[in-house]
Amino acid sequence: MNLILMGAPGAGKGTQSAKIAEKWNIPAVSTGDMLRAAVKEGTELGKAAKSFMDAGQLVPDEVVIGIIKDYLSSDKCTNGFILDGFPRSIPQAEALDAMGVKIDAALSLEVADEKIVERMSGRRICSSCGASYHVVYNPPKQADVCNVCASALYTRADDAAETVLNRLSTYHAITEPLKDYYAAKGILICVDGQEDVEDTTACVMKALSKFEA
């Protein structure tokens, strides 16, 4: 199964990606993972990517897509793959198609914006040991104090409500149109994110059951 996993930031892509990868025994790969691997291996595209990264610039789409194609054609992806967080735009999806990368399904995790803001802005991290909490779903025993080491908890900059709303705005403008793109190809699968992770996983597995051997 060659799968694209889509969804807004905070929709739970990473969690579900790991569950799918385990069940189907296929790698879940992010763009960042592939870029770092190419740079470490010193491939031509990896060297090209490193020159942009060292200069503090975004790696151009053509370099990123070339690295992705190399990775997806490697032995690691013989049984399939899950692309987590790529493509992020219509041009990237078109470039992926132009390179002959076959996609069996594009799975979109659907979670309302207000729920995502609640999920992400409610996260708290321990400043010392890194333990993670949530003010609603996994609160510490004492407000803003870590259960494990009694250090102060803090909100990551990425989890601040204003930042989350900005990221959601970018997602809706640039990435969400991919749903129509893949719907037109007949491979879009939408799954509503549930309150409990396990319930979402059950819905995801049911939606992908047609790919089971």
Side-chain angles (χ1 to χ4, degrees), residues 12-207:
K13 296 187 297 297
T15 300
Q16 298 306 323
S17 179
K19 302 274 190 187
I20 298 166
E22 182 180 6
K23 180 174 175 64
W24 269 269
N25 193 29
I26 54 177
V29 287
S30 70
T31 312
D33 292 339
M34 286 183 275
L35 278 171
R36 285 186 288 274
V39 169
K40 185 177 179 182
E41 291 165 13
T43 65
E44 288 304 309
L45 286 168
K47 291 174 186 174
K50 188 174 187 299
S51 67
F52 288 100
M53 291 158 73
D54 287 348
Q57 299 173 339
L58 285 174
V59 181
D61 276 0
E62 60 266 25
V63 176
V64 173
I65 291 165
I67 287 172
I68 287 172
K69 189 181 182 190
D70 283 352
Y71 190 96
L72 298 185
S73 60
S74 70
D75 291 344
K76 299 170 188 170
C77 299
T78 303
N79 296 325
F81 55 80
I82 305 160
L83 276 179
D84 180 359
F86 188 93
R88 292 181 185 272
S89 65
I90 298 288
Q92 288 184 347
E94 290 172 342
L96 205 57
D97 287 344
M99 285 195 163
V101 177
K102 179 179 177 289
I103 301 298
D104 296 311
L107 178 73
S108 178
L109 287 174
E110 305 289 311
V111 181
D113 283 5
E114 56 267 25
K115 182 60 68 176
I116 284 176
V117 172
E118 180 188 288
R119 280 184 186 178
M120 296 182 73
S121 62
R123 288 197 293 211
R124 299 290 184 270
I125 308 297
C126 177
S127 56
S128 180
C129 73
S132 180
Y133 299 89
H134 193 282
V135 295
V136 176
Y137 304 114
N138 180 33
K141 293 173 183 174
Q142 183 180 343
D144 296 324
V145 176
C146 178
N147 294 349
V148 180
C149 67
S151 297
L153 305 182
Y154 73 100
T155 303
R156 296 188 316 177
D158 276 0
D159 291 338
E162 185 179 347
T163 305
V164 174
L165 286 169
N166 287 338
R167 292 174 67 195
L168 285 169
S169 177
T170 300
Y171 168 78
H172 291 309
I174 297 172
T175 305
E176 195 166 34
L178 285 168
K179 285 162 61 176
D180 289 338
Y181 182 86
Y182 287 115
K185 292 177 175 291
I187 61 171
L188 178 70
I189 300 171
C190 292
V191 171
D192 289 330
Q194 307 297 309
E195 200 67 35
D196 293 326
V197 171
E198 292 79 8
D199 291 340
T200 301
T201 301
C203 292
V204 166
M205 296 306 177
K206 183 178 180 181

